[in-house]
Amino acid sequence: MSTSLQLDHRHIVLGLSGGIACYKAAELTRELIKAGASVQVVMTEAAAAFITPVTMQALSDRPVYTSQWDAREANNMAHINLTREADALIVAPASADFIAKVANGLADDLLSLLCLARPVERVPLLLAPAMNREMWAHPATQRNVARVRADGALVLGPGSGDQACGEVGDGRMLEAHELCDEVVAALQPKLLAGRRVLVTAGPTFEAIDPVRGITNLSSGKMGFAIARAAQEAGAEVTLVAGPVHLPTPRHVRRIDVASAQQMHDAVLPLAPSQHVFIATAAVADWRPASYAQRKIKKDGSATAPALELAENPDILAAVARLPQRPFCVGFAAETDDLAKNAREKLARKNVPLMVGNIGPSTFGRNDNALLLVDARGERQLPSSDKLNLARELVREVSMRLEPLP
Ligand code: CTP
């Protein structure tokens, strides 16, 4: 499965309640379908005042449901039937009024009926609030939001910024692509619920002078995919990233660093409180022994300046030496002899799991192939998208963890 088909074979019920953000639901429908899902749209009467069912039918390629009395259903029970085949129910936009209804278990129209009648264990309910900032901040709304959360609903955002009313603040509905990512995340098994996971990613940059440095070709994509997969699996994730140009995965705490020493200094204090440490960063083994405060200039002679190097701290080995150490996973970036090199690093760094990959054939690319090496043996994860591999690695790690107390 490619990352573009994250919702293949998934059926999503998309509910719209009334609000100007209904226009974004059109884009969300397209995003969900692009991701491989089938989408059944359900609209409240108020939603139909903002966007027509005709538009939503055309985009979703299915007739839209607007009434609990819809006679198209043979048993006349649209409120039951629609969620029985669904993998998730997302209401976007969810108005203040609609959230109040859900919070109180009211069910006087089809969409609120669906929320109440859905099989709670099997069909997650995602609510994407969209309202004026004063409405969002009102204690009644905050009380209702807390209540729907306590009842198991996922409240997405809201975002902050310019509002249709001309005011600026909290209450904007998240963008369609963000909501689509939230649906994908909601459908992942929560294998790391209650765990804290620390990930390093990307290259490091070892400055020679103010304009030059030593680095490598790591793009950070594998580590970012692992951070995303761990977060989607329910973990609280911290990502320590070297210099890369990648967006931070949703709900992941990111700490940016440049050099190996900075990465070491960011990781070590956090490590003892983590359940898992995954070291994907391609840490530079050496740094210039001294940093030139000014740009090193050509001096007219034929001899190039000699660059003396000093060894960087081994971050993974240092974490593995901690008395209270997390479950440590290393990545071995090799050019050849993957199994032998990975096994040798497993022993040398004293970690329970080492993941081998061929550096030059994966750096910067969206796919990779992994070889998992541990005391019990080896497992090959064949070439695939980095996010798919990350999810598989998360599964492998989760199976090796001690149960939570
Ligand atoms: N690593 C680290 N700190 C370093 C060097 C490596 O934390 N200073 C981690 C990497 O993040 C990776 C693992 O150790 O998880 C193996 O990194 P790799 O560069 O493949 O191995 P090295 O120990 O650097 O060995 P070599 O360069 O000889 O292959």
Side-chain angles (χ1 to χ4, degrees):
M1 184 177 56
S2 86
T3 22
S4 56
L5 281 180
Q6 293 296 309
L7 295 173
D8 208 13
H9 300 301
R10 300 293 200 165
H11 183 62
I12 310 299
V13 174
L14 168 60
L16 281 68
S17 59
I20 190 66
C22 277
Y23 78 93
K24 290 190 191 174
E27 188 63 31
L28 175 58
T29 308
R30 301 192 69 214
E31 290 275 338
L32 293 169
I33 288 175
K34 217 165 64 190
S38 52
V39 178
Q40 175 61 60
V41 175
V42 177
M43 296 170 69
T44 65
E45 201 184 325
F50 287 93
I51 189 168
T52 69
V54 174
T55 301
M56 297 307 291
Q57 173 170 354
L59 291 172
S60 63
D61 204 18
R62 279 172 180 248
V64 169
Y65 282 78
T66 54
S67 163
Q68 68 269 45
W69 311 120
D70 198 313
R72 281 172 298 181
E73 294 293 306
N75 61 358
N76 218 305
M77 292 193 194
H79 70 291
I80 304 291
N81 305 348
L82 289 177
T83 54
R84 293 307 179 269
E85 57 191 21
D87 291 296
L89 168 56
I90 174 167
V91 181
S95 64
D97 177 68
F98 190 78
I99 295 171
K101 268 191 190 174
V102 175
N104 288 286
L106 298 182
D108 62 353
D109 66 2
L110 180 58
L111 190 53
S112 51
L113 267 163
L114 284 183
C115 293
L116 201 61
R118 80 187 205 281
V120 176
E121 298 301 325
R122 204 173 50 73
V123 184
L125 171 63
L126 294 82
L127 300 173
M131 66 196 74
N132 166 269
R133 66 192 175 103
E134 299 290 1
M135 294 171 77
W136 173 252
H138 196 285
T141 304
Q142 290 303 310
R143 204 163 49 235
N144 291 330
V145 166
R147 197 177 241 190
V148 295
R149 277 207 175 104
D151 287 346
L154 287 162
V155 178
L156 312 177
S160 194
D162 291 338
Q163 303 204 305
C165 51
E167 298 180 6
V168 181
D170 291 343
R172 271 172 66 100
M173 189 166 88
L174 295 184
E175 299 304 322
H177 68 94
E178 296 173 305
L179 294 175
C180 190
D181 282 353
E182 293 283 359
V183 173
V184 170
L187 295 176
Q188 301 308 313
K190 304 300 166 200
L191 299 170
L192 295 178
R195 309 281 188 175
R196 283 181 295 277
V197 175
L198 180 61
V199 181
T200 64
T204 62
F205 182 86
E206 313 298 328
I208 297 169
D209 66 17
V211 296
R212 307 182 179 92
I214 302 171
T215 187
N216 60 63
L217 290 173
S218 167
S219 64
K221 286 181 180 172
M222 192 70 233
F224 275 59
I226 289 171
R228 174 175 169 176
Q231 193 283 324
E232 290 176 344
E236 188 186 316
V237 179
T238 306
L239 173 62
V240 180
V244 294
H245 300 281
L246 292 174
T248 311
R250 295 184 62 70
H251 311 298
V252 166
R253 174 182 169 220
R254 172 173 178 172
I255 301 172
D256 283 319
V257 296
S259 68
Q261 188 63 51
Q262 287 169 355
M263 188 174 274
H264 172 275
D265 295 349
V267 163
L268 265 290
L270 293 173
S273 63
Q274 305 294 311
H275 297 100
V276 180
F277 174 53
I278 306 180
T280 34
V283 185
D285 291 317
W286 298 282
R287 65 178 180 276
S290 61
Y291 172 72
Q293 297 292 340
R294 297 164 137 212
K295 185 182 174 194
I296 302 169
K297 307 287 282 180
K298 289 195 279 287
D299 62 4
S301 72
T303 46
L307 201 59
E308 206 189 314
L309 297 174
E311 193 167 347
N312 272 326
D314 188 319
I315 303 164
L316 177 59
V319 172
R321 275 195 303 270
L322 291 171
Q324 211 192 331
R325 71 175 198 168
F327 181 88
C328 291
V329 183
F331 263 71
E334 308 296 342
T335 53
D336 48 70
D337 241 344
L338 201 51
K340 181 172 159 291
N341 282 315
R343 189 158 293 287
E344 188 268 324
K345 280 181 193 170
L346 183 81
R348 176 155 56 85
K349 308 213 178 200
N350 188 27
V351 296
L353 180 61
M354 188 58 75
V355 182
N357 61 167
I358 300 294
S361 54
T362 184
F363 278 173
R365 297 179 49 124
N366 290 330
D367 54 356
N368 197 358
L370 304 178
L371 180 72
L372 274 49
V373 177
D374 71 1
R376 284 179 298 180
E378 284 161 24
R379 182 175 171 215
Q380 178 80 49
L381 302 185
S383 182
S384 181
D385 189 275
K386 284 181 177 171
L387 185 55
N388 294 330
L389 290 171
R391 291 199 177 124
E392 193 53 33
L393 180 63
V394 158
R395 213 174 65 76
E396 289 281 344
V397 168
S398 73
M399 292 186 315
R400 290 166 167 85
L401 298 179
E402 301 284 336
L404 284 169

